[in-house]
Amino acid sequence: MTQRIRKAVFPVAGLGTRFLPATKTVPKEMLPIIDKPLIQYAVDEAIEAGCDTLIFVTNRYKHSVADYFDKAYELEQKLERAGKTEQLELVRNVLPPHVRAVFVTQAEALGLGHAVLCAKPIVGDEPFAVLLPDDLIWNRGGAGALAQMADAAEASGASIIAVQDVPRDQTGSYGIVATEPFGGRSGRITAIVEKPKPDVAPSTLAVVGRYVLDSRIFPLLESTTPGAGGEIQLTDAIATLMAESQVHAYRFQGTRFDCGTHIGLIEATIRYALDHEKLSDAARTMMQDALSELGVQDLQ
Ligand code: G1P
């Protein structure tokens, strides 16, 4: 695989039950970090990596994701008339003109592997990316995680899976890989297993939601039977792909926030606020005040 990726798949059909009641009407991918929804961070990362075709795998309840990437004529007119050029640019730049968004529906929630398979007719026969928007990856001032991985894929011809070390008691929340020794940031995967219990996990190196995959994954997904949690797992198809082509784990540069959890969403919000050009001073003062207030209460 020496072709540069151009297409990115965003599985966004999950129910987001952890964030109920907020996600009763707002898809979890639309929850904001400061002023951008989570999905926008993943989209920006894909575009930065060179993708110009974004494939959103949604369900019938997620109209707001499609609405968000659609042109908002009335809003744009109003902002234009009011001379609010800065805001107008923000609304228009949700997707740059050279990028197209395609929406496919996953009729049944059969798992991540099945969601990726739904994108097959649009991806066709070329390497592509998968980004799970829950995993927000921040690489202050440097290249985004997917751009790093796309470079590695182009150079090696391998499929590339993002990984990071996790505490052993958390292996049950991730795909876990075993690898050959790393050369630099990547190492060839020798085993991959979905959500193993800590005592049987082959390592503590966990899959994070960024993948660059060979299109040969599609026929393999078609014949993948339900695995962990009764779902068709992308991890299981990757395990089969390893038998016929190289799959590398990649330790990306950057910090990953698990925005599929309450604490991860809070952590991301705090980090982005502390680094925000307009909000950082106020955020810092506010946090110091809040901490010292709590400190005083603790002493009472
Ligand atoms: C999915 C994948 C898992 C991966 C994780 C990363 O799990 O199945 O292999 O480690 O994303 O966030 P999920 O979190 O959707 O259960």
Side-chain angles (χ1 to χ4, degrees), residues 170-182:
Q170 289 178 18
T171 59
S173 302
Y174 297 94
I176 300 289
V177 299
T179 65
E180 288 177 357
F182 272 58

Side-chain angles (χ1 to χ4, degrees), residues 261-284:
T261 66
H262 294 142
I263 201 69
L265 198 69
I266 294 168
E267 192 185 2
T269 304
I270 291 175
R271 290 285 191 101
Y272 278 81
L274 287 173
D275 197 49
H276 193 281
E277 55 168 341
K278 290 185 187 149
L279 300 175
S280 67
D281 287 348
R284 202 159 304 200

Side-chain angles (χ1 to χ4, degrees), residues 18 28 112-113 132 134-135 162 171-176 192-195 206-211 231-235 238 256 258 260:
R18 276 201 192 136
K28 66 173 172 173
L112 177 60
L132 309 185
D134 278 7
D135 282 329
T171 59
S173 302
Y174 297 94
I176 300 289
I192 183 167
V193 41
E194 182 68 8
K195 304 198 169 89
V207 174
V208 169
R210 299 289 183 278
Y211 309 75
E231 298 191 333
I232 297 174
Q233 295 292 352
L234 182 57
T235 298
I238 292 171
R256 170 236 179 197
D258 181 1

